[in-house]
């Protein structure tokens, strides 16, 4: 049952279908609230396969609810595909091999909402977006949906260090994250522990035993897997060389916070090298919440870091 999520509730459908020039954006206003987004579907049209990976990173989804922009995230990272188009079958999100991406998180708003797609790349892209909006009774417990994003390259693996996903202030619930890693060697990158501080505590109440345990597997296994809440959708190999994409979303284990939340992962690689990390973090919060993650257009627009190509010996 968990691998067969139900269709979202019926509602009003709003669509955006537009070719977007480099540096431009397209937006659509959603029906007046109180209401809630029940489904977002998106796909590219006519983007060549060799350009799709970059388009998924440099095309950004923005969402504004009740006058607050709470979503700023590249499309690939938002839907859990990470770097490149990678099939995903989970409870909240799906990515099909044909390029269709969908999200089933409920996103309430009291009065107004707008979705914007921004093209930060160097080539024109055509994006089709479909949003289904249903009824919602807004009250003192209702929260806005947030999706924030961070990327850094290079990151030195020595000395070992904690790398921050997001710090949020306000009242909310943490829902999970999608992590994309690029490592230039085949050795294991993910001995690092997750550390999550809730409401300003002095020691993290969530302190893990390794990145692979946090994302639902172990032993640095390169095999892909799908599950309702934990997935590894990309691992180039051999071993762990190249790009890896893992994602974890939370249901009964979502993390509530009343004042603040801080989520880190420890960069703990077997080798002394330079890696790339990019993470999308998903969370709910009451209106007025803030975080240390704002728009990062330069990072989204930059070429995706790639592992070094093997040197070909003449005559080999």
């Amino acid at each position: 049952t968990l691998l067969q999520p139900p269709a979202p509730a019926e509602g009003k459908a709003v669509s955006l279908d537009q070719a977007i020039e480099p540096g431009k954006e397209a937006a659509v206003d959603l029906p007046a609230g109180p209401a809630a987004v029940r489904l977002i579907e998106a796909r590219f049209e006519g983007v060549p396969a060799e350009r799709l990976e970059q388009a998924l990173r440099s095309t950004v989804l923005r969402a504004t609810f009740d006058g607050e922009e709470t979503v700023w995230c590249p499309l690939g990272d938002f839907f859990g595909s990470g770097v490149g188009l990678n099939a995903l079958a989970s409870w909240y999100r799906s990515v099909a091999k044909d390029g269709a991406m969908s999200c089933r998180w409920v996103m309430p708003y009291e009065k107004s909402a707008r979705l914007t797609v921004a093209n930060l790349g160097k080539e024109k892209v055509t994006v089709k977006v479909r949003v289904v909006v249903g009824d919602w009774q807004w009250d003192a417990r209702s929260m806005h949906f947030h999706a924030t994003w961070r990327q850094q390259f290079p990151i030195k693996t020595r000395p070992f260090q904690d790398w921050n996903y997001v710090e949020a202030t306000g009242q909310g619930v943490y829902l999970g994250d999608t992590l994309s890693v690029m490592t230039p060697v085949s050795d294991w990158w993910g001995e690092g522990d997750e550390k999550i501080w809730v409401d300003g505590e002095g020691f993290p109440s969530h302190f893990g035993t390794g990145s692979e345990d946090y994302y639902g597997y172990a032993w640095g296994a390169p095999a892909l897997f799908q599950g309702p809440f934990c997935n590894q959708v990309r691992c180039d190999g051999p071993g762990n060389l190249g790009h890896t994409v893992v994602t974890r979303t939370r249901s009964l284990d979502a993390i509530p916070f009343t004042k603040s939340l801080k989520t880190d992962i420890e960069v703990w690689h077997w080798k002394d090298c330079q890696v790339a990390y990019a993470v999308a973090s998903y969370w709910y919060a009451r209106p007025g919440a803030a975080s240390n993650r704002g728009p990062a257009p330069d990072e989204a627009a930059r070429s995706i870091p790639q592992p070094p190509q093997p040197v070909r010996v003449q005559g080999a």
Side-chain angles (χ1 to χ4, degrees), residues 182-256:
M182 189 286 294
T183 174
V185 295
S186 61
D187 300 83
W188 177 230
W189 56 267
E191 292 293 341
D193 305 334
E194 84 278 6
K195 302 171 185 178
I196 303 177
W197 291 260
V198 178
D199 293 337
E201 57 196 356
F203 188 85
S205 53
H206 296 248
F207 199 133
T209 56
S211 303
E212 76 270 42
D213 300 319
Y214 178 75
Y215 287 106
Y217 64 121
W219 302 107
L224 305 185
F225 62 88
Q226 302 284 0
F229 305 114
C230 291
N231 314 71
Q232 181 166 241
V233 299
R234 179 171 178 175
C235 186
D236 292 348
N240 291 280
L241 173 67
H243 293 284
T244 295
V245 179
V246 285
T247 184
R248 173 178 179 167
T249 54
R250 297 171 174 270
S251 181
L252 297 179
D253 61 338
I255 304 174

Side-chain angles (χ1 to χ4, degrees), residues 4 25 27-28 54 65 78-79 101 111 122 135 172 177 195 201 212 238 242 245 262 265 280 284-285 288 310 314:
Q4 301 277 336
E25 60 186 31
V28 59
Q54 187 64 48
F65 298 109
F78 178 83
F79 287 103
M101 302 175 288
K111 298 177 180 179
K122 299 177 181 179
D135 295 333
D177 35 73
K195 302 171 185 178
E201 57 196 356
E212 76 270 42
V245 179
K262 178 184 177 183
I265 203 78
Y284 284 109
Q314 187 174 4

Side-chain angles (χ1 to χ4, degrees), residues 9 90 100 221 264 280 289:
S90 68
D264 286 1

Side-chain angles (χ1 to χ4, degrees), residues 128-165:
K128 290 187 175 183
V129 179
R130 179 174 175 267
V131 185
V132 176
V133 178
D135 295 333
W136 183 268
Q137 184 175 344
W138 184 272
D139 58 28
R141 299 179 61 202
S142 298
M143 296 184 180
H144 292 138
F145 179 85
H146 293 247
T148 50
W149 182 77
R150 181 192 183 193
Q151 175 177 256
Q152 184 179 350
F153 176 75
I155 302 172
K156 295 182 179 180
T157 61
R158 297 293 186 275
F160 304 127
Q161 60 183 293
D162 292 340
W163 193 77
N164 178 245
Y165 282 14

Side-chain angles (χ1 to χ4, degrees), residues 9-93:
E10 294 184 358
K12 299 178 182 177
V14 179
S15 297
L16 185 155
D17 183 354
Q18 191 168 331
I20 308 174
E21 298 288 342
K24 303 296 183 180
E25 60 186 31
V28 59
D29 290 318
L30 304 186
V37 173
R38 301 284 180 170
L39 174 70
I40 301 176
E41 298 176 330
R43 69 160 64 236
F44 289 98
E45 292 288 340
V47 176
E50 65 271 16
R51 285 179 42 210
L52 185 57
E53 184 172 280
Q54 187 64 48
L56 284 161
R57 173 54 55 79
S58 58
T59 307
V60 171
L61 178 68
R62 296 166 46 200
T64 300
F65 298 109
D66 297 322
E68 297 181 25
E69 184 172 275
T70 63
V71 173
W72 197 102
C73 191
L75 280 177
D77 302 85
F78 178 83
F79 287 103
S81 185
V83 174
L85 183 69
N86 304 298
L88 170 66
S90 68
W91 182 254
Y92 292 114
R93 296 157 302 153

